[in-house]
Amino acid sequence: MIRTDFILKMIRKITNNEDTNRYSDQDLMVWLNQAQRIIQMAVFSSNPNHRLFSAEGTINVVSGTSEYTLPTDIFGENTIYFVELSYDDGVKYYPIDPVTPQEKDIINGYYIRNNKIILTPEPGFTSTAGIKVTYMKNLYSMSVRNA
């Protein structure tokens, strides 16, 4: 992996902009991070089923609680590949299907709202690592290396 200070030097050399008075390193990092997000979004848009940026996260299930916060590094609510549920502390997982909020009283599954996963029906059990979410993660933001 290339360090960001080398990327900045390459950009300045290629653009004939070696003077930091016009654009600071921080300005360039903001643009690089925006470009990285745009590229990641384009990759996802062209093939939503790819697993290039996939990650897994687990969430503890608490009896009587239906809403759980999604992992903080998720790219977006629509980038969840699948959700699985475990009744035995993460020993064995079973896939659960997405449902619409209108179907929540009719069909068992989950739906996403306000960066939360809502299980339906409300679980009547407690399980460590009871929910496993496979999703597209945000790439790490680049920053200027401090000497």
Side-chain angles (χ1 to χ4, degrees), residues 83-120:
V83 176
E84 299 169 282
L85 197 57
S86 173
Y87 302 93
D88 53 9
D89 295 331
V91 174
K92 183 167 175 139
Y93 286 95
Y94 303 91
I96 57 175
D97 294 322
V99 298
T100 66
Q102 295 76 24
E103 298 171 321
K104 68 180 179 162
D105 297 325
I106 304 166
I107 303 172
N108 293 349
Y110 73 93
Y111 62 97
I112 306 297
R113 182 181 62 212
N114 298 330
N115 212 33
K116 294 188 183 287
I117 185 167
I118 296 104
L119 299 179
T120 176

Side-chain angles (χ1 to χ4, degrees), residues 53-76:
F53 309 114
S54 69
E56 284 183 357
T58 59
I59 304 166
N60 296 334
V61 173
V62 177
S63 181
T65 303
S66 60
E67 290 190 17
Y68 301 90
T69 303
L70 290 169
T72 56
D73 64 342
I74 192 167
F75 186 79

Side-chain angles (χ1 to χ4, degrees), residues 16-144:
N16 228 3
N17 180 22
E18 297 189 37
D19 181 9
T20 58
N21 290 331
R22 183 164 184 188
Y23 298 113
S24 70
D25 287 349
Q26 287 76 18
D27 290 336
L28 294 177
M29 292 285 37
V30 167
W31 296 329
L32 283 170
N33 283 315
Q34 287 174 337
Q36 176 177 271
R37 185 149 176 93
I38 290 167
I39 291 167
Q40 189 176 14
M41 197 176 338
V43 169
F44 178 76
S45 296
S46 67
N47 184 1
N49 294 319
H50 74 83
R51 297 290 188 266
L52 186 59
F53 309 114
S54 69
E56 284 183 357
T58 59
I59 304 166
N60 296 334
V61 173
V62 177
S63 181
T65 303
S66 60
E67 290 190 17
Y68 301 90
T69 303
L70 290 169
T72 56
D73 64 342
I74 192 167
F75 186 79
E77 291 181 357
N78 65 333
T79 61
I80 294 174
Y81 300 124
F82 48 90
V83 176
E84 299 169 282
L85 197 57
S86 173
Y87 302 93
D88 53 9
D89 295 331
V91 174
K92 183 167 175 139
Y93 286 95
Y94 303 91
I96 57 175
D97 294 322
V99 298
T100 66
Q102 295 76 24
E103 298 171 321
K104 68 180 179 162
D105 297 325
I106 304 166
I107 303 172
N108 293 349
Y110 73 93
Y111 62 97
I112 306 297
R113 182 181 62 212
N114 298 330
N115 212 33
K116 294 188 183 287
I117 185 167
I118 296 104
L119 299 179
T120 176
E122 185 176 273
F125 63 94
T126 297
S127 180
T128 302
I131 303 170
K132 181 165 54 170
V133 182
T134 305
Y135 57 95
M136 185 172 98
K137 68 177 180 171
N138 271 324
L139 296 177
Y140 295 111
S141 291
M142 294 180 275
S143 61
V144 178

